Amino acid sequence: AAGFVVVVTGGLGSFGGVGIAALVGGVVRGITIHFYPPAGEASMYLLMLLVLMFRPRGLLGERIERFE
C-alpha cells in the first residue's frame, strides 16, 4: 500500500517525483508514528490527499497528451 501511495504522490512516470515522495512520505510517517502510532498508515493517505488536491498529476508528474 505504501508503494502505491508513493508512486501516485510522486507522479506517474516521474522517477524524481517518486524519490521525493518516498523521502517526504517516510518523514511524515516517522513523525506521525513517533507522536501518535495508530495514525501512522493514515498519515500516508492524508499526505497523498493533500498533494493531489493541489497538484492532480503528482509532485513532478507530466501532462499526458490524449491520443486523437
Side-chain angles (χ1 to χ4, degrees), residues 5 8-11 44-59:
V5 172
V8 170
T9 303
M44 295 287 291
Y45 291 105
L46 182 61
L47 174 67
M48 182 175 73
L49 175 74
L50 292 174
V51 168
L52 293 179
M53 282 177 59
F54 296 103
R55 299 214 23 119
R57 292 183 186 98
L59 291 174

Side-chain angles (χ1 to χ4, degrees), residues 4-64:
F4 171 74
V5 172
V6 167
V7 170
V8 170
T9 303
L12 295 174
S14 170
F15 184 74
V18 171
I20 293 170
L23 290 173
V24 172
V27 169
V28 167
R29 187 170 181 193
I31 290 172
T32 304
I33 289 175
H34 178 72
F35 290 109
Y36 187 61
E41 190 71 25
S43 66
M44 295 287 291
Y45 291 105
L46 182 61
L47 174 67
M48 182 175 73
L49 175 74
L50 292 174
V51 168
L52 293 179
M53 282 177 59
F54 296 103
R55 299 214 23 119
R57 292 183 186 98
L59 291 174
L60 298 179
E62 298 177 4
R63 184 175 182 155
I64 299 172

